[in-house]
Amino acid sequence: MATGKINVSVENIFPLIKKFLYSDHEIFLRELISNATDATLKLKHLTSIGEAKVEYGNPQIEVKVDKDNKQILIVDQGIGMTAEEVKKYINEVAFSGAEEFLDKYKDAGKDSGIIGHFGLGFYSAFMVADKVEIITKSFKDEPAVHWTCDGSPEFTLDETQKEERGTEIILHVAEDSTEFLEDAKIRELLTKYNKFMPIPIKFGTKTETLPKPEDAKEDDPAPTQEVDDIINNPNPAWTKKPTGLKEEDYKNFYRELYPMQFEEPLFNIHLNVDYPFNLTGILYFPKLTNDLNVQKDRIQLYQNQVFVTDNVEGIVPEFLTMLRGVIDSPDIPLNVSRSYLQADGAVKKISSYITKKVADKLSSLFKNNREDFEQKWNDIKVVIEYGMLSEEKFFEKADKFALYPTVDGSFFTFEELENKIKDNQTDKDDKLVVLYASDQEAQHSYIEAAKAKGYEVLLLDSPIVSHLMQKLETSKENLSFARVDADHLDNLIKKEDTAISKLSDEEKERLKEDLEKVVQEKGYTIQMEAMDSSASPFIITEPEFMRRMKEMQQTGGGGMFGMGNMPEMYNLIVNTNHELVGEILSTKTAKKRERLINQSLDLARLSKGLLKGEELTNFIARSYDMIK
């Protein structure tokens, strides 16, 4: 038997390990199973090249909980260790790695990013255990050894009896970590971190129903048997070649990733690259609503099939964090702060590659089955629009397949839209004016007025559309977007021929004064406009620029304008050529004039969806009186 002291400058590193990574102490199980997996895969490699003269067989890793003795056991059938290897890999390499890790990050604080991942390995066991034993037998013809350490730099190492090749780690769970002696907790961690490890992981047994014998009676119970409960899938879909997978395989894997997700994904993108970096994975486009809140089921990041995190910002472009699925790469540096991660050259290349793959997939879906792409547009548009705003290279590609739906249910690419409307919707300054509605019901009367003039009206209702329009207006020449209720149509698309007003300047001024007396408390800006006599007498509009800045401020951006707390601003446009407007002006009694103005104004407000509550009740009562 040998005893010794681990050569380390920090007199007692274990309390530091425990304290520093306390918030992450559940990763001990992932680390120990990762080590067991490595040991098993190393054996597989050595047997395949003939260096290990043993039978590889079908090894598995077993996790056991002995609640009575307060122990957790992790048992593998891998390469094992000799006494010399224990001294080297446990007492020297692993320990110096743990010390170096702590030395580097102890002042960084817990918020510095993905620290702890794959940094501590074996010594993470001391986050939950006050004593750890290793019983191991190498594949080489050497005696098995037993190593013990009680959380101080002291250890013992002696020979022991063990028939099977491999390593058994026994954790004596500390009093403050007894939650890990619950089967449910261990199962939860195995499912979270080790669900797709490449070696089968056994945790207990389960009852399996067998087929009934042919001579069994109908009411005889089906026979059962106890079988190993393998909690992981060692060969997940992303590790297979795309050519070997059917659509149903991708859907089944989605259900495996997100068991509580009941909606099918719209489509998937299989990632597979080995130069200039290694990366595999499958991304899914879920059905997305207009709600921009962070999705609960997020993309999961793995390193060689070991779960690392579902916080993938910096690795995946921000607009794609709304997708779901898996990314697996050994080339992403994980023991570093997030700021380092975002500046890392390999990570930037990975991010660009993922963006390109997504753009190419969307482009091929659009070209190969446009009808299907149009049907899915409402479910994917938020991701595409967000990508067009945030990634210039994605914008260039998406400009060819991004769709602009109309209120009549047609879909155009921007180029198609431009060709369709340029003759009719180019104003006198040679600017193409794209009309749009954000709410087909609320803006119905404005839409119909535009359609009556032969104008095309888009239906743009995503929460970031104001930002997108701003982007399009700055990236394309002579283009402006205007919501149909931003002004009357002759002002939205100004042509050379303007209507002549039936009212003189003096009459317009007198009418304006009468209107201001009635509407002064309602905060409208009154505009006198000579329009077609068939157009509405009163129209309420919202100025495009002010309203759009307010919308942009509410969805992030545009804050510099300070529009967030501004009241709604409306213009009251009065058609000086309408018969009713002429009647208001010629009415002799002030009372009747006020009644006509109020009724006309309320009709305009009703059309705009602004007449509510008591004012709506009074308007209805007043209208019935007029009918009588």
Side-chain angles (χ1 to χ4, degrees), residues 493-506:
I493 306 176
K494 283 188 172 172
K495 304 287 187 179
E496 293 296 351
D497 52 333
T498 52
I500 298 166
S501 176
K502 290 180 182 176
L503 303 184
S504 66
D505 288 348
E506 185 192 337

Side-chain angles (χ1 to χ4, degrees), residues 496-598:
E496 293 296 351
D497 52 333
T498 52
I500 298 166
S501 176
K502 290 180 182 176
L503 303 184
S504 66
D505 288 348
E506 185 192 337
E507 286 172 320
K508 282 194 271 190
E509 196 55 44
R510 187 152 48 89
L511 177 63
K512 190 172 183 182
E513 286 172 12
D514 290 338
L515 287 164
E516 281 173 344
K517 284 176 198 167
V518 178
V519 305
Q520 60 185 345
E521 292 173 12
K522 303 194 191 312
Y524 294 108
T525 303
I526 297 169
Q527 286 175 228
M528 297 289 174
E529 299 278 357
M531 295 187 272
D532 193 292
S533 59
S534 62
S536 300
F538 285 17
I539 302 169
I540 292 172
T541 64
E542 278 184 88
E544 176 75 16
F545 176 77
M546 303 299 278
R547 192 208 72 251
R548 202 194 292 183
M549 287 303 117
K550 188 175 170 70
E551 287 171 355
M552 286 170 69
Q553 203 270 348
Q554 286 166 347
T555 54
M560 69 191 82
F561 297 100
M563 307 278 172
N565 301 317
M566 280 187 59
E568 303 290 346
M569 297 183 66
Y570 298 104
N571 292 338
L572 174 61
I573 297 174
V574 180
N575 181 2
T576 59
N577 288 341
H578 197 281
E579 188 181 345
L580 177 61
V581 173
E583 191 181 329
I584 290 170
L585 186 66
S586 61
T587 298
K588 298 286 185 276
T589 65
K591 196 164 187 180
K592 185 183 177 187
R593 186 161 51 248
E594 187 179 334
R595 195 171 76 244
L596 283 172
I597 290 170
N598 271 324

Side-chain angles (χ1 to χ4, degrees), residues 423-456:
D423 292 341
N424 201 23
Q425 289 178 225
T426 301
D427 68 11
K428 63 185 179 64
D429 299 319
D430 210 28
K431 183 171 272 195
L432 184 72
V433 182
V434 179
L435 298 178
Y436 72 98
S438 59
D439 185 325
Q440 198 155 356
E441 293 297 312
Q443 293 149 12
H444 183 267
S445 61
Y446 299 87
I447 294 167
E448 290 305 305
K451 284 164 70 174
K453 281 187 172 279
Y455 295 153
E456 200 71 62

Side-chain angles (χ1 to χ4, degrees), residues 308-369:
V308 177
T309 182
D310 61 2
N311 184 3
V312 293
E313 288 158 22
I315 297 161
V316 172
E318 192 179 357
F319 78 100
L320 295 177
T321 55
M322 288 182 272
L323 303 191
R324 298 191 181 125
V326 164
I327 292 169
D328 189 335
S329 175
D331 291 336
I332 295 171
L334 296 170
N335 334 326
V336 293
S337 67
R338 190 160 298 289
S339 58
Y340 178 90
L341 191 65
Q342 287 164 341
D344 184 77
V347 173
K348 282 184 174 170
K349 285 180 185 149
I350 287 171
S351 181
S352 298
Y353 166 77
I354 294 169
T355 301
K356 181 181 182 301
K357 282 291 284 188
V358 170
D360 291 347
K361 176 74 174 187
L362 290 164
S363 180
S364 73
L365 287 168
F366 171 73
K367 286 173 186 166
N368 297 338
N369 191 343

Side-chain angles (χ1 to χ4, degrees), residues 192-342:
K192 178 178 177 179
Y193 290 113
N194 305 104
K195 193 175 182 178
F196 300 112
M197 293 291 274
I199 305 297
I201 299 166
K202 175 190 173 185
F203 185 56
T205 59
K206 62 182 177 182
T207 305
E208 206 172 67
T209 304
L210 299 170
K212 283 186 182 182
E214 286 182 16
D215 57 351
K217 294 177 184 168
E218 195 174 324
D219 53 355
D220 282 353
T224 60
Q225 67 176 14
E226 287 295 304
V227 295
D228 290 350
D229 190 359
I230 304 297
I231 58 93
N232 62 323
N233 172 4
N235 302 297
W238 84 81
T239 63
K240 299 172 184 173
K241 286 191 163 54
T243 48
L245 294 168
K246 299 188 177 72
E247 194 57 38
E248 196 52 40
D249 297 320
Y250 286 109
K251 285 181 179 173
N252 288 339
F253 180 58
Y254 184 76
R255 292 184 204 110
E256 199 176 342
L257 272 178
Y258 308 110
M260 301 309 291
Q261 214 20 274
F262 302 113
E263 281 211 39
E264 295 280 355
L266 297 167
F267 52 86
N268 63 75
I269 301 163
H270 200 128
L271 308 168
N272 195 347
V273 63
D274 53 20
Y275 182 82
F277 47 82
N278 278 293
L279 180 131
T280 52
I282 300 169
L283 295 180
Y284 293 92
F285 261 78
K287 273 196 166 191
L288 289 171
T289 62
N290 279 349
D291 183 6
L292 280 178
N293 290 335
V294 176
Q295 304 293 319
K296 179 173 67 69
D297 293 319
R298 302 193 292 187
I299 294 171
Q300 298 174 11
L301 178 66
Y302 287 76
Q303 193 186 67
N304 295 325
Q305 293 177 238
V306 184
F307 176 79
V308 177
T309 182
D310 61 2
N311 184 3
V312 293
E313 288 158 22
I315 297 161
V316 172
E318 192 179 357
F319 78 100
L320 295 177
T321 55
M322 288 182 272
L323 303 191
R324 298 191 181 125
V326 164
I327 292 169
D328 189 335
S329 175
D331 291 336
I332 295 171
L334 296 170
N335 334 326
V336 293
S337 67
R338 190 160 298 289
S339 58
Y340 178 90
L341 191 65
Q342 287 164 341

